[in-house]
Amino acid sequence: MMSIKLLLSVGASLALASPVPAPPSPVLIGRETGHFNASRPNITIFATGGTIAGSAGSSDQTTGYEAGALGVEVLIDAVPQLWNVSNPSGIQFANVGSSEITPEILLNLTQMVQRELDKPECQGVVVTHGTDTLEETAFFLDITLRTDKPVVVVGAMRPATAISADGPINLLEAVTVAAAPAAARRGVMVVLNDRIASAYYTTKTQANAPDTFKSYEQGFLGYLLDIKPVFYFQPALPVGRPYFNVTAAAAEALPQVDILYGYQGLDPKMAEAAVANGAKGLVCTGMGAGSWTRPGQKALAQLAKENGTAVVFSRRTMDGFVESGSVGYGGGFLNPQKARYTLMLALNAGYDDEKMHALFESQSPS
């Protein structure tokens, strides 16, 4: 095991709402001169916790473990092969289960990652993350970062203490992809289980199995063979992918947007309650291609008229396109959690009705 020196980095401190304890201040794992190689790309790893840093009481335990028990130094030490493909450095941004990640934390993360990417000596960034909400963070970064450099979000489905833990190889593959020149200009990517996927479309599809992150309709960008990335396509970005500027001057906090779930006989008052509780926007997880009950639509229309509440319709099905109806905006191919962050960022940016329609209907059939 290599010895890695811990250095305090300059970074904003984080605070999580009670009762969740505040994460540690960000720390930087320095590149030692004994391992540094000027011919290798410099890759910065932002660690946020999750299963990839999890620990359990026994090697056959893959549920009920403690997420975020290990620091980024331990993660890097466990994979010495990282130094064969990069000069890795690590920032302990947070160390929590991904269910504790908040929009405020994501604003801080994307600002720190952008500053790192803006440094000429940084060739790429990897973010380690819990898998439960990994797709939300990856999507958020995808539409708030402006860079051609590779950015990869990675996690694990088994804690570090488990037999055949997938974290070490996933981390090695993520850093390898971030270090690859062919990975540039592809937006934020998700790398797990030998697959390379677009953060814009990728979703967690299975609660327990390692082969879980997929985009059934759009497919994968590539795969890894012998820890070497193979891409299927030339660099390209998703059609209609927006960009939102969330520098410190542009965003201090994001408007509250809540997600409502559609079902037979749904209670229309749940929309009213969400707005009364402070929601400036609502994402409706509709049935089928975004359908909502008539009483529910009536309540939404009234909220939009009287409160100016922005409403976006998505779907509870795994995939599909949701078009605009008589109320609100159709979420297109975005699932509810991704439509939520899109709406939050659009409200923060002050989008009017015309811009909202253009944003959510960017992939409508012509």
mmCIF file of all heavy atoms in Angstrom, residues 279-305:
data_model
loop_
_atom_site.group_PDB
_atom_site.id
_atom_site.type_symbol
_atom_site.label_atom_id
_atom_site.label_comp_id
_atom_site.label_asym_id
_atom_site.label_seq_id
_atom_site.Cartn_x
_atom_site.Cartn_y
_atom_site.Cartn_z
ATOM 1 N N ALA A 279 -43.552 24.636 -2.667
ATOM 2 C CA ALA A 279 -43.129 24.216 -4.004
ATOM 3 C C ALA A 279 -43.456 25.287 -5.040
ATOM 4 O O ALA A 279 -44.592 25.752 -5.126
ATOM 5 C CB ALA A 279 -43.797 22.905 -4.386
ATOM 6 N N LYS A 280 -42.456 25.662 -5.828
ATOM 7 C CA LYS A 280 -42.654 26.602 -6.928
ATOM 8 C C LYS A 280 -42.938 25.868 -8.241
ATOM 9 O O LYS A 280 -43.393 26.479 -9.217
ATOM 10 C CB LYS A 280 -41.410 27.476 -7.105
ATOM 11 C CG LYS A 280 -41.006 28.229 -5.851
ATOM 12 C CD LYS A 280 -42.133 29.124 -5.343
ATOM 13 C CE LYS A 280 -41.703 29.891 -4.095
ATOM 14 N NZ LYS A 280 -42.818 30.695 -3.522
ATOM 15 N N GLY A 281 -42.667 24.573 -8.243
ATOM 16 C CA GLY A 281 -42.925 23.759 -9.411
ATOM 17 C C GLY A 281 -43.274 22.347 -9.007
ATOM 18 O O GLY A 281 -42.937 21.896 -7.898
ATOM 19 N N LEU A 282 -43.975 21.644 -9.893
ATOM 20 C CA LEU A 282 -44.377 20.262 -9.637
ATOM 21 C C LEU A 282 -44.031 19.406 -10.846
ATOM 22 O O LEU A 282 -44.229 19.824 -11.984
ATOM 23 C CB LEU A 282 -45.882 20.180 -9.373
ATOM 24 C CG LEU A 282 -46.431 20.949 -8.173
ATOM 25 C CD1 LEU A 282 -47.959 20.903 -8.177
ATOM 26 C CD2 LEU A 282 -45.885 20.377 -6.862
ATOM 27 N N VAL A 283 -43.530 18.215 -10.587
ATOM 28 C CA VAL A 283 -43.335 17.208 -11.633
ATOM 29 C C VAL A 283 -44.304 16.074 -11.351
ATOM 30 O O VAL A 283 -44.272 15.473 -10.270
ATOM 31 C CB VAL A 283 -41.889 16.687 -11.661
ATOM 32 C CG1 VAL A 283 -41.764 15.532 -12.654
ATOM 33 C CG2 VAL A 283 -40.916 17.799 -12.027
ATOM 34 N N CYS A 284 -45.179 15.814 -12.304
ATOM 35 C CA CYS A 284 -46.190 14.773 -12.136
ATOM 36 C C CYS A 284 -45.718 13.487 -12.804
ATOM 37 O O CYS A 284 -45.509 13.455 -14.020
ATOM 38 C CB CYS A 284 -47.516 15.229 -12.746
ATOM 39 S SG CYS A 284 -48.211 16.688 -11.948
ATOM 40 N N THR A 285 -45.536 12.453 -11.995
ATOM 41 C CA THR A 285 -45.153 11.152 -12.516
ATOM 42 C C THR A 285 -46.410 10.472 -13.026
ATOM 43 O O THR A 285 -47.093 9.734 -12.308
ATOM 44 C CB THR A 285 -44.473 10.304 -11.417
ATOM 45 O OG1 THR A 285 -43.391 11.047 -10.867
ATOM 46 C CG2 THR A 285 -43.952 8.996 -11.975
ATOM 47 N N GLY A 286 -46.748 10.759 -14.278
ATOM 48 C CA GLY A 286 -48.023 10.345 -14.823
ATOM 49 C C GLY A 286 -48.105 8.878 -15.180
ATOM 50 O O GLY A 286 -47.108 8.171 -15.296
ATOM 51 N N MET A 287 -49.305 8.423 -15.354
ATOM 52 C CA MET A 287 -49.575 7.045 -15.786
ATOM 53 C C MET A 287 -49.400 6.960 -17.299
ATOM 54 O O MET A 287 -49.706 7.902 -18.027
ATOM 55 C CB MET A 287 -50.993 6.655 -15.364
ATOM 56 C CG MET A 287 -51.193 6.710 -13.849
ATOM 57 S SD MET A 287 -52.939 6.871 -13.341
ATOM 58 C CE MET A 287 -53.180 8.648 -13.465
ATOM 59 N N GLY A 288 -48.892 5.819 -17.771
ATOM 60 C CA GLY A 288 -48.686 5.660 -19.202
ATOM 61 C C GLY A 288 -47.761 6.727 -19.742
ATOM 62 O O GLY A 288 -46.633 6.892 -19.282
ATOM 63 N N ALA A 289 -48.235 7.486 -20.724
ATOM 64 C CA ALA A 289 -47.439 8.551 -21.338
ATOM 65 C C ALA A 289 -47.692 9.887 -20.653
ATOM 66 O O ALA A 289 -47.751 10.936 -21.298
ATOM 67 C CB ALA A 289 -47.741 8.652 -22.821
ATOM 68 N N GLY A 290 -47.873 9.858 -19.329
ATOM 69 C CA GLY A 290 -48.006 11.080 -18.553
ATOM 70 C C GLY A 290 -49.426 11.477 -18.209
ATOM 71 O O GLY A 290 -49.664 12.621 -17.814
ATOM 72 N N SER A 291 -50.384 10.560 -18.323
ATOM 73 C CA SER A 291 -51.776 10.917 -18.065
ATOM 74 C C SER A 291 -52.021 11.193 -16.579
ATOM 75 O O SER A 291 -51.334 10.671 -15.711
ATOM 76 C CB SER A 291 -52.716 9.812 -18.554
ATOM 77 O OG SER A 291 -52.535 8.624 -17.800
ATOM 78 N N TRP A 292 -53.019 12.031 -16.315
ATOM 79 C CA TRP A 292 -53.380 12.458 -14.958
ATOM 80 C C TRP A 292 -54.895 12.456 -14.881
ATOM 81 O O TRP A 292 -55.575 12.609 -15.905
ATOM 82 C CB TRP A 292 -52.822 13.855 -14.702
ATOM 83 C CG TRP A 292 -52.477 14.174 -13.281
ATOM 84 C CD1 TRP A 292 -53.096 15.081 -12.469
ATOM 85 C CD2 TRP A 292 -51.406 13.630 -12.501
ATOM 86 N NE1 TRP A 292 -52.484 15.127 -11.226
ATOM 87 C CE2 TRP A 292 -51.443 14.248 -11.225
ATOM 88 C CE3 TRP A 292 -50.428 12.668 -12.748
ATOM 89 C CZ2 TRP A 292 -50.542 13.943 -10.216
ATOM 90 C CZ3 TRP A 292 -49.522 12.363 -11.742
ATOM 91 C CH2 TRP A 292 -49.591 12.988 -10.497
ATOM 92 N N THR A 293 -55.447 12.284 -13.715
ATOM 93 C CA THR A 293 -56.898 12.244 -13.592
ATOM 94 C C THR A 293 -57.502 13.620 -13.876
ATOM 95 O O THR A 293 -56.834 14.654 -13.731
ATOM 96 C CB THR A 293 -57.323 11.794 -12.185
ATOM 97 O OG1 THR A 293 -56.902 12.780 -11.240
ATOM 98 C CG2 THR A 293 -56.706 10.442 -11.838
ATOM 99 N N ARG A 294 -58.785 13.658 -14.264
ATOM 100 C CA ARG A 294 -59.442 14.940 -14.551
ATOM 101 C C ARG A 294 -59.498 15.848 -13.330
ATOM 102 O O ARG A 294 -59.205 17.044 -13.427
ATOM 103 C CB ARG A 294 -60.839 14.686 -15.116
ATOM 104 C CG ARG A 294 -60.814 14.113 -16.531
ATOM 105 C CD ARG A 294 -62.217 13.909 -17.072
ATOM 106 N NE ARG A 294 -62.172 13.356 -18.433
ATOM 107 C CZ ARG A 294 -63.252 13.034 -19.144
ATOM 108 N NH1 ARG A 294 -64.462 13.210 -18.607
ATOM 109 N NH2 ARG A 294 -63.116 12.538 -20.353
ATOM 110 N N PRO A 295 -59.889 15.329 -12.144
ATOM 111 C CA PRO A 295 -59.856 16.195 -10.956
ATOM 112 C C PRO A 295 -58.437 16.692 -10.655
ATOM 113 O O PRO A 295 -58.250 17.830 -10.223
ATOM 114 C CB PRO A 295 -60.379 15.286 -9.836
ATOM 115 C CG PRO A 295 -61.203 14.259 -10.540
ATOM 116 C CD PRO A 295 -60.500 14.015 -11.841
ATOM 117 N N GLY A 296 -57.461 15.823 -10.886
ATOM 118 C CA GLY A 296 -56.078 16.219 -10.657
ATOM 119 C C GLY A 296 -55.639 17.313 -11.604
ATOM 120 O O GLY A 296 -54.953 18.270 -11.210
ATOM 121 N N GLN A 297 -56.027 17.205 -12.878
ATOM 122 C CA GLN A 297 -55.675 18.233 -13.858
ATOM 123 C C GLN A 297 -56.342 19.565 -13.522
ATOM 124 O O GLN A 297 -55.738 20.636 -13.693
ATOM 125 C CB GLN A 297 -56.091 17.782 -15.252
ATOM 126 C CG GLN A 297 -55.214 16.687 -15.832
ATOM 127 C CD GLN A 297 -55.483 16.452 -17.311
ATOM 128 O OE1 GLN A 297 -55.944 17.336 -18.004
ATOM 129 N NE2 GLN A 297 -55.197 15.258 -17.779
ATOM 130 N N LYS A 298 -57.566 19.486 -13.046
ATOM 131 C CA LYS A 298 -58.276 20.708 -12.666
ATOM 132 C C LYS A 298 -57.549 21.423 -11.534
ATOM 133 O O LYS A 298 -57.389 22.655 -11.557
ATOM 134 C CB LYS A 298 -59.711 20.368 -12.243
ATOM 135 C CG LYS A 298 -60.557 21.588 -11.896
ATOM 136 C CD LYS A 298 -61.974 21.179 -11.530
ATOM 137 C CE LYS A 298 -62.820 22.400 -11.151
ATOM 138 N NZ LYS A 298 -64.212 21.999 -10.777
ATOM 139 N N ALA A 299 -57.080 20.661 -10.556
ATOM 140 C CA ALA A 299 -56.355 21.251 -9.429
ATOM 141 C C ALA A 299 -55.038 21.859 -9.892
ATOM 142 O O ALA A 299 -54.646 22.951 -9.445
ATOM 143 C CB ALA A 299 -56.108 20.190 -8.360
ATOM 144 N N LEU A 300 -54.344 21.170 -10.813
ATOM 145 C CA LEU A 300 -53.075 21.686 -11.328
ATOM 146 C C LEU A 300 -53.283 22.972 -12.123
ATOM 147 O O LEU A 300 -52.500 23.923 -12.011
ATOM 148 C CB LEU A 300 -52.400 20.630 -12.204
ATOM 149 C CG LEU A 300 -51.884 19.381 -11.483
ATOM 150 C CD1 LEU A 300 -51.450 18.330 -12.493
ATOM 151 C CD2 LEU A 300 -50.724 19.734 -10.552
ATOM 152 N N ALA A 301 -54.334 22.992 -12.942
ATOM 153 C CA ALA A 301 -54.624 24.188 -13.735
ATOM 154 C C ALA A 301 -54.907 25.388 -12.830
ATOM 155 O O ALA A 301 -54.487 26.519 -13.124
ATOM 156 C CB ALA A 301 -55.803 23.923 -14.661
ATOM 157 N N GLN A 302 -55.602 25.140 -11.733
ATOM 158 C CA GLN A 302 -55.920 26.225 -10.814
ATOM 159 C C GLN A 302 -54.652 26.735 -10.130
ATOM 160 O O GLN A 302 -54.478 27.944 -9.958
ATOM 161 C CB GLN A 302 -56.924 25.735 -9.768
ATOM 162 C CG GLN A 302 -57.414 26.832 -8.825
ATOM 163 C CD GLN A 302 -58.553 26.356 -7.934
ATOM 164 O OE1 GLN A 302 -59.056 25.246 -8.093
ATOM 165 N NE2 GLN A 302 -58.949 27.196 -6.998
ATOM 166 N N LEU A 303 -53.763 25.829 -9.756
ATOM 167 C CA LEU A 303 -52.512 26.236 -9.122
ATOM 168 C C LEU A 303 -51.641 27.034 -10.086
ATOM 169 O O LEU A 303 -51.003 28.014 -9.700
ATOM 170 C CB LEU A 303 -51.755 25.003 -8.626
ATOM 171 C CG LEU A 303 -52.355 24.280 -7.429
ATOM 172 C CD1 LEU A 303 -51.653 22.946 -7.204
ATOM 173 C CD2 LEU A 303 -52.252 25.153 -6.168
ATOM 174 N N ALA A 304 -51.629 26.606 -11.349
ATOM 175 C CA ALA A 304 -50.838 27.326 -12.345
ATOM 176 C C ALA A 304 -51.377 28.732 -12.563
ATOM 177 O O ALA A 304 -50.613 29.701 -12.709
ATOM 178 C CB ALA A 304 -50.830 26.549 -13.659
ATOM 179 N N LYS A 305 -52.690 28.864 -12.562
ATOM 180 C CA LYS A 305 -53.324 30.161 -12.812
ATOM 181 C C LYS A 305 -53.198 31.096 -11.614
ATOM 182 O O LYS A 305 -52.857 32.282 -11.769
ATOM 183 C CB LYS A 305 -54.798 29.959 -13.167
ATOM 184 C CG LYS A 305 -55.555 31.249 -13.444
ATOM 185 C CD LYS A 305 -57.008 30.963 -13.803
ATOM 186 C CE LYS A 305 -57.785 32.256 -14.063
ATOM 187 N NZ LYS A 305 -59.200 31.984 -14.425
#
